[in-house]
């Protein structure tokens, strides 16, 4: 018997992945499963461009707003949660459609993650001391010397994940990349159709700039003030993500608003390049050139799904 299908809409930021996923869900009786590492956090809405309830057009969306901002949510937990959701969606006779740009989450789900050694308090203290004394960038260079792939995947300011990658290497003598290669997916009985959406760099830059302006107009700064006033600490993990990190720095007087908007656009462009490099390494990914909301892109994705034996139908809500 054929394996049940999961469609994955992947790719860089600002390429229209959510719009494409929603269109496919409407055509095939699908449900959208979030694959973005910031959208899992409650209250962080504007800076993550979460699809509003009204914008979902009645299509169920999963793994959005499931974690408190002060909680730790790992890729391994995401893989377990997403696998559970996918099984539930299939049990209802519907099509799970992953949508997002967090490549590490996607890889954890489709290839698995190794459990890893326990935390070593003494080693962490030493690594944290290096980061404090010499800077996180120095720690990132240390990681690059022993595990270039992890260094390329982990942002240079992500102190927590850099420390963990170095910790794993020091404790096991093997890199995270090596460990990942020996893992198994939590959904081995499922066929995954990975579809990548990509755009020229200039077009991504234009779309990102427009989105940033919209985020500020919708009240990004007010959202951050509300989160802080509710007791969310400024070092909460989602505040370290793109948009929120720079906007929070602006509220603390680091730079003016115009400079902050420009910086967000610039760093989103850089992030988009890193995402593209990451997803290019994913096996069997089919690239579509054009924004996710374009008729031609939707038609091309529909053909790919149809080739897997699914026939478009109306959603039975």
């Amino acid at each position: 018997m054929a394996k049940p299908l999961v469609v994955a809409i992947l790719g860089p930021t600002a390429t229209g992945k959510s719009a494409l996923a929603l269109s496919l869900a409407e055509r095939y009786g699908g449900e959208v499963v979030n694959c973005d590492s910031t959208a899992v956090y409650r209250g962080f809405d504007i800076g993550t461009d979460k699809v509003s309830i009204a914008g979902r057009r009645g299509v169920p969306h999963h793994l959005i707003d499931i974690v408190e901002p002060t909680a730790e949510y790992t890729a391994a937990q995401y893989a377990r949660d997403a696998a559970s959701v996918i099984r539930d969606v299939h049990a209802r006779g519907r099509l799970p459609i992953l949508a997002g740009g967090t490549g590490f989450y996607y890889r954890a789900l489709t290839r698995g993650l190794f459990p890893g050694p326990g935390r070593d308090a003494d080693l962490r203290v030493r690594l944290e001391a290096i980061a404090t004394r010499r800077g996180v960038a120095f720690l990132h260079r240390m990681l690059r010397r022993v595990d270039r792939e992890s260094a390329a995947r982990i942002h240079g300011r992500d102190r927590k994940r850099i420390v963990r990658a170095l910790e794993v290497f020091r404790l096991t003598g093997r890199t995270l990349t090596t460990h990942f290669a020996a893992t198994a997916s939590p959904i081995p009985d499922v066929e995954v159709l990975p579809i990548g959406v990509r755009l020229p760099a200039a077009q991504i830059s234009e779309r990102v700039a427009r989105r940033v302006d919209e985020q500020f107009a919708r009240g990004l700064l007010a959202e951050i003030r509300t989160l802080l006033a509710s007791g969310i600490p400024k070092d909460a993990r989602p505040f370290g993500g793109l948009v929120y990190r720079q906007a929070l720095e602006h509220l603390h007087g680091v730079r003016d608003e115009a400079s902050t908007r420009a910086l967000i656009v610039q760093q989103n462009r850089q992030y988009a390049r890193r995402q593209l490099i990451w997803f290019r390494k994913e096996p069997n990914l089919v690239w579509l050139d054009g924004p996710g909301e374009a008729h031609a892109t939707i038609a091309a994705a529909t053909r790919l799904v149809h080739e897997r034996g699914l026939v478009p139908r109306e959603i039975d809500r």
Side-chain angles (χ1 to χ4, degrees):
M1 294 181 63
K3 293 181 177 181
L5 182 67
V6 172
V7 176
I9 307 300
L10 310 167
T13 188
T15 52
K17 297 182 294 295
S18 295
L20 178 56
L22 187 57
S23 294
L24 291 178
E26 291 180 317
R27 281 165 168 73
Y28 290 98
E31 301 186 17
V32 176
V33 183
N34 169 57
C35 190
D36 179 274
S37 61
T38 308
V40 299
Y41 293 103
R42 298 187 185 98
F44 288 74
D45 302 330
I46 297 174
T48 58
D49 269 337
K50 290 176 185 172
V51 181
S52 67
I53 299 298
R56 297 173 192 178
R57 304 200 290 266
V59 173
H61 282 59
H62 303 277
L63 301 186
I64 296 174
D65 295 332
I66 60 170
V67 184
E68 292 298 330
T70 52
E72 181 176 351
Y73 190 74
T74 65
Q77 183 62 56
Y78 170 80
R80 291 192 292 270
D81 290 344
S84 177
V85 168
I86 286 168
R87 286 192 290 270
D88 290 344
V89 174
H90 279 148
R92 291 192 291 275
R94 299 168 76 84
L95 175 66
I97 302 176
L98 286 172
T102 301
F104 193 43
Y105 273 20
Y106 176 73
R107 185 169 294 182
L109 175 63
T110 56
R111 301 193 207 175
L113 290 177
F114 83 109
R119 299 184 180 190
D120 186 301
D122 292 339
L123 177 56
R124 287 206 170 194
V125 167
R126 294 197 300 273
L127 292 171
E128 291 284 358
I130 293 173
T132 300
R133 186 175 66 253
R134 307 195 65 172
V136 179
F138 180 83
L139 211 63
H140 194 253
R141 289 195 294 273
M142 288 177 57
L143 177 60
R144 190 184 304 122
R145 285 197 292 270
V146 298
D147 186 357
R148 296 189 67 86
E149 286 197 32
S150 289
R153 169 174 53 80
I154 299 173
H155 192 279
R157 295 183 182 179
D158 195 337
R159 180 168 174 158
K160 184 174 183 178
R161 292 175 65 194
I162 295 170
V163 166
R164 178 57 177 166
L166 285 169
E167 179 185 45
V168 168
F169 177 74
R170 295 284 182 87
L171 293 177
T172 69
R174 301 170 66 199
T175 66
L176 274 175
T177 305
T178 302
H179 284 293
F180 292 159
T183 58
S185 166
I187 51 170
D189 53 341
V190 168
E191 178 188 0
V192 179
L193 169 59
I195 299 173
V197 185
R198 63 187 175 188
L199 295 170
Q203 193 171 353
I204 286 182
S205 180
E206 176 185 322
R207 289 165 68 96
V208 165
R210 185 167 60 249
R211 186 175 67 184
V212 169
D213 287 341
E214 291 170 353
Q215 288 169 336
F216 274 82
R218 288 167 54 202
L220 172 66
L221 299 180
E223 178 183 82
I224 293 174
R225 292 189 184 100
T226 299
L227 289 166
L228 293 171
S230 71
I232 306 302
K234 62 182 180 181
D235 61 350
R237 186 160 188 171
F239 273 138
L242 274 172
V243 180
Y244 286 103
R245 181 176 67 248
Q246 298 87 352
L248 188 61
E249 289 171 347
H250 162 62
L251 290 177
H252 285 97
V254 174
R255 70 184 71 82
D256 62 27
E257 184 175 314
S259 299
T260 297
R261 294 190 188 207
L263 181 62
I264 293 173
V265 172
Q266 177 190 35
Q267 295 193 349
N268 264 288
R269 289 199 306 262
Q270 295 169 351
Y271 178 51
R273 286 196 293 271
R274 293 196 301 273
Q275 288 175 298
L276 188 59
I277 291 170
W278 175 278
F279 285 119
R280 279 173 175 164
K281 298 177 182 178
E282 288 299 329
N284 306 316
L285 192 150
V286 181
W287 287 104
L288 302 181
D289 293 306
E293 71 275 11
H295 293 303
T297 307
I298 296 169
T302 299
R303 284 193 294 272
L304 291 171
V305 177
H306 185 71
E307 289 170 0
R308 297 308 197 275
L310 295 188
V311 178
R313 62 183 175 87
E314 293 294 326
I315 295 179
D316 179 19
R317 298 194 185 104

